[in-house]
Amino acid sequence: MDGLNERMNRRVCWLMVEGAARLRDRRGQGTTEYAILVGVLVVIAIIAVVAFRGKLQELWNAISEGVNNL
């Protein structure tokens, strides 16, 4: 059992050191920020569509009728 505990302790220590090194690495920071920004914009768009569903349906129908009358 002691051998297993020692291996687990080594693994945990290695993961902590590796995690700290990754936190200091800033190469992917810009990409992550853009991904978060896009995610927030998608959520805002979904909320807007849900909130204005009726008006959007009216607008879509008007556009559709206008295109059909061409």
Side-chain angles (χ1 to χ4, degrees), residues 23-52:
L23 286 174
R24 287 189 301 268
D25 186 9
R26 305 247 183 219
R27 288 181 291 183
Q29 182 178 2
T31 304
T32 304
E33 289 170 352
Y34 283 119
I36 292 170
L37 178 64
V38 168
V40 169
L41 292 176
V42 167
V43 169
I44 290 171
I46 290 171
I47 291 171
V49 167
V50 169
F52 299 109

Side-chain angles (χ1 to χ4, degrees), residues 62-70:
I63 292 170
S64 176
E65 288 175 16
V67 168
N68 287 336
N69 290 334
L70 289 178

Side-chain angles (χ1 to χ4, degrees), residues 5-7 9 12 16 20-21 27 30 35 47 53-54 63-64 69:
N5 285 338
E6 187 173 331
R7 284 190 309 222
N9 286 338
V12 168
M16 290 174 62
R27 288 181 291 183
I47 291 171
R53 181 179 296 167
I63 292 170
S64 176
N69 290 334

